Amino acid sequence: MKIIKPVLLTLWRIWFYILLGVPIIVLSPVLIITILSPKTYPQFFLLARLWARIILFGMGFRTKIMREQEMEKGKSYMLVANHTSMTDIMLMLLVSKNPFVFVGKKELAKIPIFGFFYKRTSILVDRNNSKSRFEVFQRAQKRLNEGLSICIFPEGGVPDDESIVLDEFKDGAFRLAIEHQIPIVPMVFPDNKKRFSYTFLSGSPGLMRARVLPFISTEGLTLDDKKELKDKTRQVIYNQLIKHHEQK
């Protein structure tokens, strides 16, 4: 019996990567057309949401999205959430109907098939390269000027220590939000770590929740307010994560 569970988990993990790649292959002719111009990015985004839904449903994840405030159509936002799983990407795509662009680590571009489209539609950052970090701001500003939203997982990656509920936040999301005077949309993904963490032989099908918290305004703020905004955002996400843990 001891060997059955690891075998099933291994097959389940392999199934995830099949679900990750097959829809992209099937949709690739249309996907390629939609990434050729910024004008067709909203169409690419609709296909990305379909892709995310296929993966989460195919993995046996039942999603529940709770909203304390709704995003307005056609308005730009800074989307932020805790980061514990690769499925955070898919869940974020389901949460936001407003087209957005991910700012993410360049390593994900190495994933076969997925990486081809990821590096052409997301803003990749090498956190060890100051030039790369500067280019991120330039590309993000361009995307915001095009009317899109930006999604950044402000922890800068998944914490190495499994016991960390929420790691310290980086500055980038809050600097961009202030510079463009766009609201912060804090979100909590309380179940993704349990459902599908980066630990290979772990996880299970089941409920995967997302909670959209009240937006945090940046109107009238300057870069001098960046730390206060960052700390406030982290605190509201942290408090909600603790509530979810206590309700178990």
Side-chain angles (χ1 to χ4, degrees):
M1 289 293 292
K2 287 185 178 180
I3 198 171
I4 293 176
K5 185 176 180 180
V7 169
L8 290 176
L9 282 170
T10 299
L11 292 173
W12 188 61
R13 289 273 172 164
I14 292 171
W15 176 238
F16 173 80
Y17 288 102
I18 292 172
L19 287 172
L20 191 77
V22 170
I24 295 176
I25 294 170
V26 172
L27 295 170
S28 59
V30 183
L31 290 171
I32 289 170
I33 292 171
T34 58
I35 65 173
L36 293 177
S37 167
K39 293 180 180 179
T40 54
Y41 184 83
Q43 286 70 46
F44 170 83
F45 184 77
L46 287 175
L47 292 171
R49 296 189 78 220
L50 172 63
W51 167 81
R53 195 175 296 277
I54 289 170
I55 292 172
L56 295 179
F57 178 79
M59 291 297 290
F61 299 133
R62 188 176 80 259
T63 57
K64 181 180 180 181
I65 300 171
M66 300 157 282
R67 304 177 190 273
E68 298 185 28
Q69 189 170 345
E70 294 280 352
M71 285 181 264
E72 297 177 27
K73 186 177 180 180
K75 189 171 181 179
S76 294
Y77 297 91
M78 177 60 67
L79 314 178
V80 300
N82 59 305
H83 191 26
T84 57
S85 168
M86 192 170 177
T87 57
D88 296 342
I89 293 172
M90 296 85 190
L91 191 55
M92 183 66 77
L93 284 165
L94 288 195
V95 171
S96 176
K97 296 178 183 178
N98 289 32
F100 66 83
V101 175
F102 281 108
V103 175
K105 55 186 180 181
K106 68 173 187 175
E107 288 80 6
L108 290 180
K110 297 176 183 178
I111 299 175
I113 306 172
F114 168 81
F116 176 84
F117 291 97
Y118 177 76
K119 67 183 177 184
R120 286 165 176 78
T121 57
S122 301
I123 300 171
L124 307 189
V125 58
D126 179 355
R127 300 188 189 278
N128 298 318
N129 186 318
S130 57
K131 182 181 177 183
S132 173
R133 292 198 301 270
F134 176 73
E135 289 173 350
V136 164
F137 283 101
Q138 290 183 313
R139 293 185 63 193
Q141 287 169 347
K142 181 181 177 182
R143 289 305 217 171
L144 286 166
N145 290 335
E146 292 168 358
L148 299 175
S149 295
I150 299 291
C151 173
I152 298 179
F153 295 107
E155 291 169 276
V158 176
D160 294 328
D161 187 342
E162 287 282 322
S163 66
I164 293 175
V165 175
L166 188 68
D167 212 344
E168 295 301 317
F169 282 3
K170 310 294 184 184
D171 290 343
F174 309 98
R175 174 181 166 184
L176 277 169
I178 289 172
E179 286 180 343
H180 289 266
Q181 296 287 283
I182 58 174
I184 303 281
V185 181
M187 304 184 199
V188 169
F189 299 163
D191 306 307
N192 292 23
K193 187 174 184 177
K194 177 183 177 181
R195 293 283 162 242
F196 200 82
S197 76
Y198 280 92
T199 302
F200 190 78
L201 293 178
S202 68
S204 65
L207 181 63
M208 187 176 276
R209 296 167 294 174
R211 181 179 290 275
V212 180
L213 302 171
F215 304 167
I216 300 173
S217 175
T218 61
E219 188 175 348
L221 299 185
T222 69
L223 289 179
D224 290 337
D225 303 304
K226 181 177 61 181
K227 185 179 185 306
E228 184 179 349
L229 177 65
K230 178 178 70 173
D231 292 344
K232 179 179 180 180
T233 305
R234 184 183 180 278
Q235 194 62 47
V236 297
I237 292 176
Y238 178 81
N239 289 345
Q240 190 61 52
L241 281 171
I242 294 299
K243 282 184 182 179
H244 277 293
H245 288 313
E246 290 175 347
Q247 289 168 2
K248 287 183 179 179

